[in-house]
Amino acid sequence: MTTTENKLIINGRITEISSVSQNENWQKQDFTIETLEQFSKLVNIHVWNDKIEQLSRCRIGDIVTCRINISSRKHDNRYYTEVTAWKVEVDFNSMRNEAPAENLKP
């Protein structure tokens, strides 16, 4: 995860995409990525309302770049942290670089 001028970015491979939860006033969809670090981590992220459209372009196995906000709230002396994506993009360059060599032969 990197931060530049208070902008948080996380990259990883999508491992799970949940179905959309909705109410009359909002929609929410969760997805999980596995970071591409040496010691990878699973991160559950969600998108709200119109950002669901960005996630609908993604598939399990896609490498994505997510611009995120992280927030925590305290309830009954416990903290709960949420990771919310405000932009989700498929990273085609990373996916191309990971293509197996046999697929690149003419």
Side-chain angles (χ1 to χ4, degrees):
M1 182 166 54
T2 59
T3 178
T4 306
E5 299 175 16
N6 295 329
K7 296 177 186 173
L8 296 173
I9 299 171
I10 188 167
N11 301 306
R13 184 180 310 280
I14 295 178
T15 60
E16 184 179 344
I17 301 174
S18 72
S19 57
V20 176
S21 301
Q22 60 186 12
N23 182 318
E24 59 188 43
N25 299 319
W26 54 264
Q27 293 182 323
K28 175 185 170 184
Q29 188 169 17
D30 292 325
F31 65 104
T32 304
I33 65 169
E34 182 176 8
T35 62
L36 304 174
E37 304 162 329
Q38 180 181 0
F39 300 105
S40 62
K41 297 166 187 67
L42 291 176
V43 180
N44 184 266
I45 304 170
H46 57 260
V47 288
W48 291 93
N49 301 320
D50 59 330
K51 306 303 182 208
I52 291 173
E53 182 181 337
Q54 295 175 14
L55 183 59
S56 70
R57 298 183 201 127
C58 302
R59 302 287 173 252
I60 292 174
D62 284 354
I63 296 174
V64 293
T65 298
C66 302
R67 293 180 173 39
I68 60 171
N69 292 323
I70 300 174
S71 62
S72 296
R73 61 184 170 79
K74 188 175 183 178
H75 179 71
D76 291 335
N77 288 326
R78 293 193 59 174
Y79 283 93
Y80 298 88
T81 301
E82 295 183 338
V83 179
T84 304
W86 50 272
K87 188 168 189 178
V88 179
E89 300 173 303
V90 177
D91 188 347
F92 291 106
N93 289 330
S94 291
M95 289 173 50
R96 189 175 306 119
N97 291 339
E98 285 198 350
E102 65 269 7
N103 291 343
L104 300 176
K105 293 179 183 175

